[in-house]
Amino acid sequence: MTHPCRIIGVLDNGAAGLTPEALTQLQSADLVIGGHRTLALFADAIRVDAERRDLTGNLPQVPAWISAAREAGKQVVVLATGDPLCHGIANFLINKLGRTGVDILPNLSTLQLACAKLGLAWQDVRISSVHHRDAGEWTIGAMPEHGLYRLLSVLRQSDLTAVFTSPENTPARIARMLQIESLDDEFEMAVAACLLQDQEQVSDWLTINTAAERSFADPNIVLLRRSQPAAREALFGLPDDRFNQRKPDKGLITKREVRAVSLARMALLPDSVVWDIGAGSGSVGLEAARLCPQGHVYAIEKNEADAAIALSNRASLRASNYTLRHGRAPAGLENWPDPDAVFIGGSGGELNELITLCLQRLRPGGNLVMNFATFENITTAIDTLKATGAQWNVTQLQAARSQPILNMHRMQAENPIWIVCAHQCEPDCSEQNLEQSYD
């Protein structure tokens, strides 16, 4: 196999958009692979006797096509839109054929062309893609499997975003997602459609509400920029009154001091998967979501009124990587991915079963953190942890806050809370280590 497969970036102006080198490579090819529309566009530049194969819907078979042709001594060209290494086919083929098996001749990316049309500097742009199967409409609390999930995560962290779309995942669908997440006032959208074609259309900057009701020709690329700065708040340790809480029983919330220590003991990473069992107002899980922008928080709450409050706090904090289910744990936890950290703030009387299950499901190095205010629950927890052979420790946290009294101030004590931290014992754990883990 002396000839590498040539991956040539092409645009919708056809052969006129190719360099002399790329055009020579295309005209010398024995096998040309490309999408149906691309093969038709370059029909006159492909040798009459060259074999042509449509990759539309056949992507998994393309590496085998290329390998068979190369083994037969044929020259192979794959036609790919724009820069094949920018959300294109090149990386897929390199992984299948090896770096020496391909030779890439990139063209301008459609992102570059769109920004040029808009007079927009693009060195700071974040690039995302929904150029894949039909993702369906966005819903509140959608999980990472949803095709728009990654885009929403990028948008929350970016001032300028470029999005490669598909015929199903349209600019209007993206705009509707922003409406659903109450972000429609924070962004504006421009759409560049049919670039370098006779029917080329480049919109001006549109409001999200306008874009949600418009149809745009395909293919297109979307630019989204913030129309107002993103709100800046601390990542965790927010004041208690930042969260909606149950009324008239106001106060069903993990208090700020306990919340901060509990989150610290969870040892979260940017991509952690977190379970929040007994979510209450959602304060711990929502702050965990803010600390894990590439991760996801799965929460469950048995009280319907509290679940509604937690959802209102999700909306207020704009935490899209947070999914809440109304129900009683452990029912439904079998459908969640294994966690890197678990927080139990309420057990619904199933504490023994929950601890055992969570320890079984924790990923290696993961942490289980629990808050208790009663002797009975902490006793149950410690007995269960001993029975499972887990490593564990307990911290009692007693906070007091200043309160005005006449023209002076005094300290008002909060209820003492036990913070229990546990993880699965390593194979070399000894009885002595277990005893030393108790604070």
Side-chain angles (χ1 to χ4, degrees):
M1 295 191 293
T2 56
H3 302 292
C5 167
R6 267 79 182 207
I7 306 175
I8 299 176
V10 300
L11 297 169
D12 279 341
N13 57 349
L18 297 181
T19 64
E21 178 187 5
L23 186 58
T24 299
Q25 296 287 357
L26 175 58
Q27 293 172 338
S28 301
D30 302 303
L31 169 63
V32 180
I33 301 171
H36 178 75
R37 191 175 67 89
T38 304
L39 290 174
L41 182 63
F42 285 86
D44 293 340
I46 300 172
R47 282 198 345 247
V48 175
D49 61 334
E51 182 182 2
R52 308 170 195 212
R53 291 201 178 184
D54 187 353
L55 61 75
T56 306
N58 298 308
L59 185 60
Q61 303 174 49
V62 172
W65 294 348
I66 295 171
S67 296
R70 292 180 65 213
E71 288 173 0
K74 296 180 179 179
Q75 296 189 43
V76 184
V77 162
V78 176
L79 300 178
T81 302
D83 184 345
L85 282 168
C86 183
H87 289 280
I89 196 175
N91 191 55
F92 169 75
L93 293 180
I94 289 171
N95 289 334
K96 296 294 184 180
L97 304 174
R99 176 65 191 90
T100 60
V102 299
D103 183 21
I104 303 169
L105 298 177
N107 210 317
L108 290 173
S109 168
T110 50
L111 163 61
Q112 292 173 272
L113 290 172
C115 288
K117 295 290 184 180
L118 291 164
L120 187 66
W122 64 280
Q123 65 267 18
D124 295 324
V125 86
R126 288 282 299 274
I127 304 173
S128 190
S129 176
V130 294
H131 188 73
H132 43 65
R133 63 180 177 80
D134 190 343
E137 292 294 319
W138 179 257
T139 58
I140 291 290
M143 297 186 187
E145 295 77 17
H146 195 284
L148 299 182
Y149 180 91
R150 173 59 183 162
L151 170 59
L152 183 57
S153 176
V154 170
L155 288 173
R156 291 193 181 280
Q157 303 170 62
S158 174
D159 292 328
L160 179 62
T161 306
V163 189
F164 293 96
T165 64
S166 69
E168 296 82 16
N169 301 322
T170 63
R173 175 174 284 179
I174 294 169
R176 289 193 293 271
M177 175 184 70
L178 292 172
Q179 288 178 323
I180 291 168
E181 288 289 335
S182 300
L183 295 171
D184 44 299
D185 289 336
E186 294 189 18
F187 289 89
E188 54 187 0
M189 175 186 290
V191 181
C194 302
L195 289 170
L196 301 181
Q197 299 182 42
D198 292 339
Q199 64 270 36
E200 175 181 290
Q201 295 178 345
V202 180
S203 76
D204 200 354
W205 290 101
L206 308 170
T207 67
I208 296 303
N209 293 330
T210 298
E213 298 179 356
R214 290 256 315 253
S215 295
F216 300 90
D218 188 73
N220 60 66
I221 185 169
V222 165
L223 279 300
L224 286 155
R225 70 180 181 187
R226 285 193 173 273
S227 54
Q228 58 184 11
R232 293 174 60 84
E233 282 188 294
L235 290 177
F236 83 118
L238 294 171
D240 295 344
D241 60 11
R242 177 63 178 83
F243 298 92
N244 295 325
Q245 301 164 46
R246 186 197 297 179
K247 296 178 180 180
D249 302 315
K250 184 171 182 179
L252 188 65
I253 185 174
T254 301
K255 298 296 194 295
R256 185 187 216 175
E257 296 82 3
V258 176
R259 193 184 333 132
V261 174
S262 297
L263 287 163
R265 297 305 301 272
M266 290 164 72
L268 301 174
L269 298 174
D271 60 352
S272 289
V273 173
V274 181
W275 291 4
D276 180 11
I277 299 174
S281 64
S283 62
V284 173
L286 288 166
E287 290 201 354
R290 291 156 68 84
L291 291 168
C292 307
Q294 285 87 52
H296 196 86
V297 175
Y298 298 84
I300 185 168
E301 171 52 49
K302 65 182 178 63
N303 184 284
E304 185 176 1
D306 290 331
I309 289 171
L311 285 177
S312 73
N313 286 323
R314 176 197 182 276
S316 175
L317 289 169
R318 307 196 172 176
S320 57
N321 57 336
Y322 178 90
T323 300
L324 176 70
R325 191 172 74 82
H326 173 225
R328 181 185 290 271
L333 271 59
E334 69 275 7
N335 299 319
W336 291 357
D338 290 345
D340 298 292
V342 178
F343 178 75
I344 297 180
S347 63
E350 310 292 340
L351 186 57
N352 185 297
E353 183 180 357
L354 282 173
I355 292 174
T356 303
L357 172 64
C358 291
L359 288 172
Q360 291 172 345
R361 294 286 303 278
L362 271 175
R363 293 176 180 173
N367 295 291
L368 167 62
V369 176
M370 300 172 280
N371 287 178
F372 301 112
T374 68
F375 296 119
E376 289 77 9
N377 278 341
I378 191 171
T379 299
T380 299
I382 291 175
D383 288 345
T384 304
L385 291 170
K386 287 180 176 179
T388 62
Q391 283 189 299
W392 55 274
N393 60 71
V394 179
T395 299
Q396 186 186 57
L397 192 62
Q398 171 80 67
R401 298 176 176 178
S402 62
Q403 295 288 339
I405 177 170
L406 300 177
N407 61 339
M408 296 175 287
H409 289 79
R410 64 179 179 86
M411 298 304 295
Q412 175 68 50
E414 298 288 336
N415 289 332
I417 298 294
W418 287 292
I419 301 175
V420 181
C421 306
H423 60 270
Q424 280 289 20
C425 191
E426 299 299 326
D428 62 347
C429 283
S430 66
E431 196 68 31
Q432 181 180 6
N433 288 337
L434 290 175
E435 291 176 0
Q436 290 175 346
S437 70
Y438 183 79
D439 290 348

